[in-house]
Amino acid sequence: MINKAEGTGFGLSVAGHVALLVILSLNLMSVRKMPKLSEPMDVMLVDKAGLISAAPEMSQEPPQAAEAPEVAPEIVEAPPPEPTPAPPKPTPVPPKPAPSPVPAPKAKPTPPAPPTKAAPAKPAPPAPPKAKPKATSLGTDFLKGIPVQKSTGTASAPRVSAISPIAMNGLVSLIASQVKPCYTIPAGGAGVETIISRVRLRLKADGSIKVAPEVIGNLGVNGGNQPYVRQMNEAAARALQRCAPYKLPADLYEGGWEDLIFTFRPTQISS
Amino acid sequence: MMQDVAVAASTSALSPIALFLQADIVVKSVMIGLLLASVWTWTIILSGSLSLSRALKASKGFESDFWKSEDIDKFYEGPGRQDIPAAKVFSAGVAEWRRSVRAGKPVDRDGTRARLANAMGAAAGAEIDRLSDRLNILATVGSVAPFVGLFGTVWGIMRSFTDIAASQNTSLGVVAPGIAEALFATALGLFAAIPAVIAYNRLLHRISKIEGQLHRFGDAIHMTLSRELERS
């Protein structure tokens, strides 16, 4: 049945198919990394708290409070007292530690304060900004939620100060660059980009995960995007798990990247 | 946690082999069938185009040799015995001529002409049949492979929807791998079908070219021999 020409044709076609299969296998594997690099979404690692102890406890309350509109007043009131004490202290250490110690003491007093002052009508303006503009209005939100942690972290942790702020900044951007490729925003869902997930991650000295990432709070949640909060949190936690183990400088482990709090901000660069 | 593991596994498994290994038994058999069809298609394409171009070239060479030759009988004994389509037509004509025109017998001119034309037409037809033997496979693969692939895809998507229903989870990480694997069947179907269709049309065109050439050559021989008839 099969003549000589068909024999050579058969050999050639089998060889061609095998070669194509090999090329595709290799190619698809390398291509797989490309889409991650060209992620349209940006993850900003806003905060890194050094210490385990006080940070989580403090964080849990403010974020939850932020969801409810009633608590908003507190946020507004908090800033005014802060700025005044802030300037004096930053002078010794400009980069990071400076802002952190300031909010610490103020953060706790704030909750009691609102009841006494009976919450002025200001809250209305700050609440809507949460939903839309990220850079500015969420920044104020952050001042409320995050500095609390920073402060507690730095205040109660003498170890953190052992790492220079410059090294800390480098560390933060290093971690961020390693996590970023793994973070994908779940598709769909209107208003998803305002949801900010705060995830705590504890690492071992070899860069692998010690305790599975736990979500410690959300910001920017409103009625519209409420259903997607869980999805966003899962995406953030998944990103952290997928990128492990992390390659980080070993000398900065203790008091540095041993215990981290990530803030995932799905902001769109283009808009 | 389990979800995350599943997601990580699925993203790392986009190579064709992994897609195949993950697939359902039905989808697997569809993929194997399509792959075999593709291999067979390419076998036919390569061998067919090889033998066709060889036949075309050899026939042309044979024709020019024939017109250069002085003596038909001598040419018939020498190069006329080759396994070339044009040589087959030529030798069929000459054999019929020898059978019809024997020494010492009255020659039926019209009958001889008709028999010569029939013999050479039959030889040309046999050669064309031989060359176009496998073409029907190309036509079949070209028209059927996309449907087979589509069948695999539909089956795979049905299965992955069942999985989604079972796992109660609609995140893209659960849905995507099954659908990617199912679509791979359609990709294979098209992969087999597209070259088959192109090659079918191309080879058919070349075969009809050879056929025309053979018939023209047969007619030329027929004219030569019938001139011979009138002279004798």
Side-chain angles (χ1 to χ4, degrees):
Chain A
M1 279 299 282
I2 292 181
N3 59 31
K4 199 182 158 196
E6 278 176 341
T8 50
F10 182 71
L12 280 176
S13 75
V14 168
H17 278 80
V18 169
L20 190 68
L21 194 68
V22 169
I23 290 171
L24 278 182
S25 303
L26 296 177
N27 210 18
L28 281 183
M29 280 174 191
S30 62
V31 163
R32 200 188 47 173
K33 287 174 187 171
M34 295 294 285
K36 286 184 185 168
L37 290 175
S38 61
E39 275 302 330
M41 299 297 192
D42 184 33
V43 182
M44 292 176 66
L45 201 67
V46 176
D47 179 30
K48 197 209 78 68
L51 252 217
I52 314 157
S53 55
E57 294 164 19
M58 289 308 296
S59 66
Q60 268 171 342
E61 286 187 8
Q64 285 170 349
E67 293 175 23
E70 306 154 20
V71 194
E74 301 173 9
I75 306 169
V76 188
E77 281 180 52
E82 282 174 15
T84 43
K89 284 182 184 176
T91 43
V93 192
K96 262 204 170 179
S100 50
V102 185
K106 299 288 134 98
K108 283 178 184 175
T110 42
T116 55
K117 290 183 183 175
K122 290 174 193 170
K130 269 190 243 165
K132 281 183 181 178
K134 284 145 243 162
T136 53
S137 63
L138 278 184
T140 58
D141 261 357
F142 266 111
L143 284 178
K144 211 283 170 185
I146 300 163
V148 176
Q149 282 196 333
K150 265 192 192 168
S151 61
T152 50
T154 45
S156 50
R159 276 187 284 170
V160 174
S161 55
I163 297 171
S164 76
I166 299 170
M168 201 57 117
N169 270 340
L171 183 63
V172 167
S173 59
L174 184 62
I175 299 172
S177 69
Q178 290 188 27
V179 173
K180 212 189 246 182
C182 298
Y183 185 54
T184 47
I185 311 282
V192 163
E193 61 281 347
T194 63
I195 301 178
I196 293 173
S197 308
R198 312 202 58 233
V199 184
R200 183 180 179 196
L201 180 69
R202 284 189 237 181
L203 294 171
K204 290 182 195 164
D206 63 352
S208 60
I209 294 175
K210 187 157 79 181
V211 178
E214 70 178 303
V215 178
I216 57 176
N218 289 104
L219 294 171
V221 178
N222 54 32
N225 57 25
Q226 179 68 42
Y228 306 106
V229 170
R230 203 179 62 104
Q231 246 185 319
M232 297 299 293
N233 288 343
E234 275 178 12
R238 197 181 307 136
L240 292 176
Q241 284 193 324
R242 214 193 278 176
C243 274
Y246 299 94
K247 285 173 191 163
L248 301 168
D251 55 323
L252 294 180
Y253 174 66
E254 248 182 56
W257 49 275
E258 179 178 21
D259 186 13
L260 297 167
I261 292 177
F262 291 84
T263 302
F264 286 85
R265 279 212 234 186
T267 28
Q268 225 148 10
I269 300 171
S270 56
S271 61
Chain B
M1 296 311 117
M2 289 308 288
Q3 269 177 36
D4 295 328
V5 173
V7 169
S10 66
T11 46
S12 66
L14 271 175
S15 83
I17 296 171
L19 282 178
F20 169 74
L21 289 178
Q22 284 170 10
D24 185 31
I25 179 74
V26 174
V27 183
K28 253 183 199 166
S29 54
V30 164
M31 285 179 187
I32 291 177
L34 288 175
L35 200 67
L36 289 181
S38 173
V39 169
W40 191 224
T41 299
W42 277 99
T43 303
I44 294 166
I45 293 172
L46 293 174
S47 67
S49 53
L50 208 71
S51 61
L52 278 187
S53 59
R54 208 181 286 161
L56 196 65
K57 208 175 150 196
S59 294
K60 272 186 181 159
F62 182 84
E63 268 183 64
S64 59
D65 284 353
F66 171 77
W67 295 118
K68 273 180 225 156
S69 72
E70 301 292 321
D71 188 352
I72 287 183
D73 279 333
K74 211 177 271 176
F75 191 73
Y76 174 68
E77 298 301 337
R81 302 282 189 182
Q82 285 171 312
D83 187 16
I84 294 171
K88 290 271 176 66
V89 174
F90 167 75
S91 60
V94 175
E96 180 55 39
W97 164 268
R98 286 192 175 175
R99 241 171 277 140
S100 300
V101 186
R102 289 217 190 100
K105 253 179 88 180
V107 177
D108 173 10
R109 291 197 169 99
D110 286 341
T112 306
R113 281 197 191 102
R115 280 197 296 276
L116 275 175
N118 278 346
M120 288 191 291
E127 282 306 300
I128 295 305
D129 275 357
R130 197 174 59 83
L131 286 174
S132 61
D133 184 27
R134 307 281 194 204
L135 271 191
N136 63 332
I137 294 175
L138 289 187
T140 309
V141 169
S143 56
V144 170
F147 291 115
V148 176
L150 200 61
F151 167 69
T153 295
V154 169
W155 187 274
I157 287 183
M158 273 165 57
R159 199 190 68 133
S160 63
F161 272 125
T162 319
D163 287 353
I164 292 164
S167 71
Q168 302 273 317
N169 189 341
T170 53
S171 84
L172 207 56
V174 174
V175 182
I179 291 177
E181 145 210 320
L183 286 177
F184 187 53
T186 299
L188 272 183
L190 295 178
F191 176 75
I194 292 170
V197 173
I198 294 175
Y200 177 74
N201 289 322
R202 179 97 190 102
L203 293 183
L204 203 65
H205 170 72
R206 288 171 76 179
I207 283 177
S208 66
K209 218 163 110 185
I210 292 183
E211 190 179 10
Q213 195 198 355
L214 282 184
H215 280 300
R216 280 194 300 278
F217 181 55
D219 289 347
I221 295 173
H222 186 251
M223 286 186 286
T224 314
L225 292 179
S226 61
R227 269 200 301 277
E228 246 358 85
L229 267 181
E230 277 167 23
R231 211 178 295 161
S232 62

